[in-house]
Amino acid sequence: MDILIQQIINGLVLGSIYALVALGYTMVYGILGLINFAHGEVVMIGALSALTAIGLLVPSGLPGPVVVLAGLLIAIPVCMAVGFTIERIAYRPLRNAPRLAPLITAIGVSIVLQQLAMMGWGRNYHTFPALLSVTAHKVGGAAITDLQIIIVLTAALLMAALVWLVTRTRLGRAMRASAENPAVARLMGVDVDRVISFTFVLGSGLAAVAGVMVAANYSIAHYAMGFMLGLKAFTAAVLGGIGNLGGAMLGGLLLGIIESLAAGYIGDLTGGFLGSHYKDVFAFFVLILVLVFRPSGLMGEKVAERA
């Protein structure tokens, strides 16, 4: 039971990160109907940008949490700028092109960003300095650290703020109108181009926070870290129902728990034949099952194609 509780706690922490990244996928898909496969690389840029800033600030003698917060505040605008640039240069010219064109472009942008990061930050792993408390607290025989509590609470607050923004503000109404019918939204005075750009910027800001969370939780960052993380977050978005904010959050948490439980029990279930490093297989196994039995996701709805 102690192991089960520990794996669930680990899954909630991991799922909170997946959920933040999945929200970027689901917002862009909800408005444009395309998958931004470069979103995982934005997470990577956020982590490495924050680490660069933190490395410069560590000698200043400032308290650890202040240094990490400063690094985060630098990473967020950097990622927002990257997201805005991606939308303007790579996706806006292809908005009315066949669906295959922006899909291939998204993959190309992902590769370009990864290679630029490799040239800028190198091939080596970058270590996240021990600036945040990792004091463990006992929960039913399991342990949860201060850092893990911060990750879960921060993710919850950001997700709640996003839901409030989309459902309670004028900008949120413009986003929902643009997602429902861009042509009618334009006739009603909505600047759809600006709304789409803001959606990319907002999703990129959440990706920056997720990148810092990943780097802090695992104590490392790497130029290729965004690829697998992005695929898993996309899987989470599909699991919950891509285009649905609540679905992205639910899918992220469920996928994190499934992956964590798989890492803890896969050895016992297979008699030692498979180890915990096979946990990534479960994420894509879940994706296959969802696409076969419920393509719209757990909270998604079947919708007709736009004319």
Side-chain angles (χ1 to χ4, degrees):
M1 182 59 67
D2 292 349
I3 296 175
L4 176 63
I5 296 174
Q6 184 65 64
Q7 294 304 117
I8 291 176
I9 290 174
N10 295 340
L12 288 175
V13 175
L14 184 60
S16 298
I17 297 172
Y18 286 159
L20 285 182
V21 183
L23 285 171
Y25 283 102
T26 207
M27 285 191 296
V28 170
Y29 183 84
I31 293 181
L32 285 178
L34 65 85
I35 305 299
N36 178 20
F37 279 117
H39 194 59
E41 314 313 322
V42 178
V43 177
M44 172 268 296
I45 290 173
L48 292 175
S49 298
L51 274 176
T52 300
I54 290 171
L56 295 173
L57 292 173
V58 165
S60 66
L62 293 171
V66 175
V67 173
V68 174
L69 180 60
L72 177 61
L73 293 178
I74 291 173
I76 289 175
V78 169
C79 287
M80 286 181 169
V82 171
F84 179 80
T85 303
I86 291 174
E87 191 277 327
R88 290 298 297 270
I89 295 177
Y91 297 145
R92 185 172 296 189
L94 300 173
R95 196 172 293 170
N96 298 317
R99 290 290 181 90
L100 188 59
L103 177 63
I104 295 174
T105 300
I107 297 173
V109 171
S110 174
I111 295 172
V112 168
L113 290 177
Q114 189 176 122
Q115 296 304 308
L116 289 175
M118 182 186 69
M119 291 187 290
W121 281 287
R123 295 174 177 269
N124 296 327
Y125 284 84
H126 297 265
T127 304
F128 193 93
L131 299 172
L132 298 176
S133 173
V134 290
T135 303
H137 305 277
K138 291 294 183 180
V139 179
I144 183 171
T145 66
D146 292 337
L147 176 59
Q148 291 175 321
I149 293 173
I150 291 172
I151 289 174
V152 173
L153 291 180
T154 301
L157 289 174
L158 288 175
M159 288 187 280
L162 178 63
V163 171
W164 175 83
L165 173 69
V166 172
T167 59
R168 301 294 183 182
T169 67
R170 183 176 180 180
L171 179 58
R173 289 195 296 272
M175 293 172 67
R176 286 183 281 127
S178 300
E180 185 69 26
N181 194 315
V184 173
R186 284 192 176 93
L187 292 175
M188 298 301 292
V190 176
D191 189 339
V192 175
D193 289 338
R194 182 174 294 180
V195 170
I196 292 172
S197 293
F198 176 78
T199 302
F200 272 84
V201 168
L202 181 58
S204 298
L206 294 176
V209 179
V212 176
M213 288 179 175
V214 173
N217 192 43
Y218 295 103
S219 300
I220 57 172
H222 187 244
Y223 79 93
M225 63 180 283
F227 178 73
M228 185 60 69
L229 178 62
L231 286 180
K232 290 181 180 179
F234 169 66
T235 301
V238 174
L239 172 62
I242 194 162
N244 186 304
L245 294 181
M249 300 175 196
L250 175 63
L253 293 174
L254 285 178
L255 185 62
I257 292 174
I258 291 170
E259 185 176 321
S260 183
L261 290 176
Y265 292 102
I266 189 173
D268 295 335
L269 293 176
T270 61
F273 179 72
L274 298 178
S276 61
H277 53 283
Y278 282 94
K279 61 184 176 61
D280 293 342
V281 174
F282 280 79
F284 303 106
F285 182 69
V286 168
L287 175 61
I288 293 171
L289 290 178
V290 171
L291 292 176
V292 170
F293 295 104
R294 188 174 174 82
S296 59
L298 297 177
M299 297 180 66
E301 298 178 359
K302 294 182 179 180
V303 296
E305 290 287 335
R306 291 173 182 165

